[in-house]
Amino acid sequence: MKHFSHPHDMQVIEIPSQTKKRTCFACKLPLIGSCYTCSRCKFYLHKFCFELPQSAQFKSHPQHTLALLYPPYIQGGCEACGESCNGFTYNCSLCNFNFHANCASLLETEPENDDERYITIFLRHKVSEQKSSKTELGWMKAQNQQYEEERARIRRMEMESDLQRRRQNMYNQQLKSMSDSINSMGQIGTSNYTYRYY
């Protein structure tokens, strides 16, 4: 079978739970059970990820249809969790809006029973927490960068002030040296000499 994200044919295989850890190209989560693979490239996709539609509309961005993209065709972070988009991502090129396929399936699908509802609410809370932490971290980095820039500016001013002071000292020393030279030459010119005639 073919998938739009990969040039070669893919086949379904079963991955036992004790197998060495492999991850899905689409969602970056570990592979267990049946998945699609390209054996020559070691390219893997969960069955769920393989079946994701190439375009979709979401409540989070109702004005446009989003296209399913994959690296390296994505730039920026996910609007839901704030993380960088390094797997399958739904993208609106008009608005530069990104939505991880994982986040889209988590936030946009309605749970079918109470167990799913509880898990979904918990995971949505975790996604929201992660995004706010990422935003706070970004703010702290910006504040730290401003602080470092201010420190660098103060250091430059101090260095310039020190350089100016040294130049002034050198200039004053030169003036003093010239003044001393002029005074000594004046003293030579006004000295009393006794002339003897033979």
Side-chain angles (χ1 to χ4, degrees):
M1 294 194 67
K2 285 272 191 190
H3 192 267
F4 77 96
S5 66
H6 195 70
H8 307 130
D9 285 331
M10 299 179 75
Q11 60 188 24
V12 180
I13 62 165
E14 286 292 323
I15 297 183
S17 56
Q18 63 267 27
T19 308
K20 189 180 174 185
K21 189 177 176 184
R22 298 171 188 163
T23 55
C24 172
F25 175 79
C27 64
K28 306 303 179 188
L29 295 173
L31 293 160
I32 296 173
S34 61
C35 70
Y36 287 86
T37 182
C38 171
S39 52
R40 60 175 154 168
C41 300
K42 294 190 167 50
F43 180 88
Y44 301 95
L45 289 175
H46 286 121
K47 190 171 184 297
F48 173 81
C49 296
F50 185 90
E51 293 168 355
L52 285 168
Q54 280 188 254
S55 62
Q57 280 201 296
F58 298 106
K59 290 179 285 186
S60 308
H61 194 74
Q63 59 269 40
H64 301 118
T65 300
L66 277 68
L68 187 63
L69 301 179
Y70 56 93
Y73 304 108
I74 316 154
Q75 290 183 342
C78 173
E79 298 294 330
C81 67
E83 289 293 316
S84 61
C85 297
N86 58 357
F88 278 13
T89 302
Y90 283 101
N91 168 268
C92 174
S93 57
L94 297 169
C95 306
N96 197 24
F97 180 93
N98 293 317
F99 209 21
H100 282 139
N102 305 20
C103 294
S105 60
L106 172 66
L107 299 173
E108 298 285 330
T109 55
E110 288 303 319
E112 293 179 4
N113 54 49
D114 287 342
D115 289 341
E116 275 191 20
R117 191 170 287 106
Y118 174 78
I119 291 166
T120 305
I121 289 168
F122 174 76
L123 290 173
R124 285 176 181 173
H125 177 70
K126 285 293 171 191
V127 166
S128 175
E129 225 174 51
Q130 183 179 356
K131 186 177 182 183
S132 62
S133 297
K134 185 100 176 170
T135 305
E136 194 174 323
L137 185 63
W139 181 82
M140 286 169 67
K141 279 183 179 175
Q143 289 292 105
N144 191 42
Q145 186 177 353
Q146 283 181 347
Y147 173 70
E148 290 299 327
E149 285 173 1
E150 184 62 22
R151 279 185 61 188
R153 189 182 69 81
I154 290 168
R155 276 198 302 268
R156 276 196 308 273
M157 286 174 62
E158 286 173 349
M159 287 171 66
E160 286 171 8
S161 174
D162 186 50
L163 186 62
Q164 189 68 29
R165 192 170 58 251
R166 288 182 183 185
R167 283 179 179 158
Q168 189 63 45
N169 286 343
M170 285 175 63
Y171 178 72
N172 290 342
Q173 285 176 0
Q174 286 177 343
L175 281 178
K176 187 175 183 307
S177 175
M178 288 171 63
S179 174
D180 290 346
S181 297
I182 290 168
N183 285 343
S184 68
M185 286 174 68
Q187 287 172 2
I188 291 169
T190 56
S191 295
N192 293 326
Y193 288 97
T194 304
Y195 296 97
R196 291 183 181 180
Y197 297 94
Y198 297 96

